[in-house]
Amino acid sequence: MFKIKHVLLLSFTIIALTIAGCKSQFEKIRLSNDVAKKYQEAMRLYNKKNYSKALILFEDLSQKYRGRAEAEELNYHYALTLYKLKDYTTARYQFKSFADTYPTSKYAEECRYMSAYCYYLDSPAPSLDQENTYKAIDALQLFINFYPKSERAADASKYIGLLRAKLEDKAYTNAKLYYDLGGFDLTNYKAAVIALKNAQIDFPDIKYAEEMDFLVIKSQFNYAKNSLERRQEDRYNEAITYADEFMESYPQSKLMDDAKALKKASEQGIENAKRVLADYAKREEKYKALLAKDAKKDTTTTKTPIK
């Protein structure tokens, strides 16, 4: 994917230069076989922050300078140029390639950090797939492992914290979505309980812990309330257990009254379920008795008289 993006970037840049009538000194240098002069012009353009033109020359030179002493400096600036142009996908690849190719370079630490940082910059919004976020965390942690005493290690830790917060936001939003959809499907309430608990296993220090624990009570309560009466007692008891755990964990919570109300409603729900089930049982016994009585009556009526 990053190669396609990079090729498109180069193509658009070349087209723009052609349209603008720039087939002058730059075009002559670009088409020249004088790699030393091309390298000098690439660095001049880079230092003037004309990154689009510099990229075209660096792209060509990166192949021609392979194995030469100047390749280290060239590839370093090539990666930086991609970063300056905000092509973070290609830049992170080039930074990592540099660090792997030149592990003893004075730029190695910086490039390994920049590769991880580009992953961070490519991390999407919480509502989207978070594959790059996980990769960014892994890359930043790897940098810390490689350079634990680096001044950049503190920044890497900070970015890991921000990325984890994003993952927490997504986990909370996804779990809450099950609750919000509960009215359409009873099983969503149970799914909400599971998702909310799993999110806290994955993120033990999640900032939404109190709200999520309260939402567990509400989800379980609604799951029990909308269940068949014969299922309600066990499900209400689970809601009561969650309420007790919440009240013990958050004695000063502003949601305490709501948690107590849900516990009381669950206890009443159990009593109501028992009453309904008892009524069902009485009706069933009465119905069975009537059936037995009718069966006996039919037997007596159909007996043939003895002559």
Side-chain angles (χ1 to χ4, degrees):
M1 178 60 74
F2 72 85
K3 288 184 178 179
I4 295 174
K5 180 179 178 182
H6 181 52
V7 169
L8 288 173
L9 177 62
L10 283 172
S11 300
F12 287 139
T13 302
I14 293 171
I15 291 171
L17 290 173
T18 303
I19 293 174
C22 294
K23 193 175 181 180
S24 55
Q25 186 64 24
F26 173 79
E27 281 296 289
K28 291 177 182 178
I29 293 174
R30 184 177 73 82
L31 298 172
S32 170
N33 290 322
D34 188 340
V35 292
K37 187 173 183 180
K38 189 177 292 187
Y39 177 76
Q40 183 181 12
E41 179 65 8
M43 291 301 300
R44 187 187 72 81
L45 291 168
Y46 175 87
N47 290 326
K48 289 188 66 177
K49 299 183 179 181
N50 193 336
Y51 301 121
S52 296
K53 285 186 178 180
L55 177 65
I56 295 172
L57 300 182
F58 281 136
E59 177 74 12
D60 181 50
L61 289 168
S62 66
Q63 302 298 322
K64 295 178 179 178
Y65 267 67
R66 183 170 295 174
R68 295 176 58 168
E70 299 91 337
E72 180 180 334
E73 196 75 25
L74 184 146
N75 285 320
Y76 169 69
H77 285 91
Y78 175 34
L80 283 176
T81 300
L82 291 163
Y83 169 75
K84 298 289 187 180
L85 289 169
K86 298 184 179 181
D87 183 0
Y88 301 128
T89 303
T90 314
R92 75 179 180 230
Y93 171 81
Q94 292 298 336
F95 280 126
K96 184 179 183 301
S97 177
F98 182 96
D100 291 340
T101 305
Y102 308 102
T104 60
S105 169
K106 63 181 179 180
Y107 302 124
E109 177 188 325
E110 178 188 355
C111 286
R112 200 168 292 281
Y113 172 79
M114 289 301 296
S115 176
Y117 182 60
C118 285
Y119 259 124
Y120 167 78
L121 294 174
D122 255 353
S123 175
S127 59
L128 302 176
D129 180 77
Q130 293 300 302
E131 181 181 359
N132 266 7
T133 301
Y134 284 105
K135 288 181 178 179
I137 291 173
D138 289 342
L140 289 164
Q141 186 60 57
L142 184 62
F143 173 81
I144 295 172
N145 295 343
F146 265 105
Y147 306 99
K149 297 181 180 180
S150 169
E151 293 181 356
R152 297 183 176 93
D155 285 338
S157 294
K158 179 185 73 175
Y159 292 131
I160 287 174
L162 293 173
L163 292 168
R164 288 190 182 279
K166 183 183 293 188
L167 293 176
E168 289 178 6
D169 290 344
K170 185 174 181 64
Y172 169 73
T173 301
N174 285 351
K176 189 174 182 299
L177 181 61
Y178 282 114
Y179 174 81
D180 294 336
L181 294 174
F184 298 97
D185 185 346
L186 172 64
T187 59
N188 281 325
Y189 287 125
K190 186 61 178 178
V193 173
I194 295 171
L196 288 161
K197 287 189 164 294
N198 285 343
Q200 293 194 67
I201 292 173
D202 293 337
F203 305 99
D205 300 320
I206 191 168
K207 58 181 176 287
Y208 303 109
E210 181 180 336
E211 185 177 351
M212 292 173 79
D213 282 339
F214 178 73
L215 200 55
V216 166
I217 307 171
K218 288 182 70 177
S219 298
Q220 185 62 37
F221 173 80
N222 282 307
Y223 183 50
K225 182 180 178 181
N226 291 283
S227 298
L228 296 173
E229 283 80 2
R230 61 190 176 86
R231 303 278 190 185
Q232 287 185 341
E233 182 174 359
D234 289 341
R235 293 173 181 178
Y236 274 128
N237 274 324
E238 283 191 58
I240 291 170
T241 298
Y242 294 143
D244 287 337
E245 291 173 351
F246 179 88
M247 290 185 281
E248 183 178 349
S249 299
Y250 310 101
Q252 305 300 321
S253 174
K254 62 182 181 180
L255 298 170
M256 181 62 71
D257 289 342
D258 294 322
K260 288 179 178 179
L262 285 170
K263 179 180 179 179
K264 185 176 181 180
S266 295
E267 292 168 342
Q268 291 174 343
I270 291 174
E271 293 304 316
N272 291 337
K274 286 181 176 179
R275 189 161 45 249
V276 170
L277 290 174
D279 187 47
Y280 282 163
K282 287 179 181 179
R283 291 182 182 181
E284 188 174 5
E285 286 299 320
K286 186 176 180 180
Y287 178 68
K288 286 180 179 179
L290 287 171
L291 287 177
K293 185 177 179 180
D294 287 344
K296 185 176 180 180
K297 184 177 179 180
D298 289 343
T299 302
T300 303
T301 303
T302 56
K303 279 186 178 180
T304 304
I306 299 175
K307 295 182 179 179

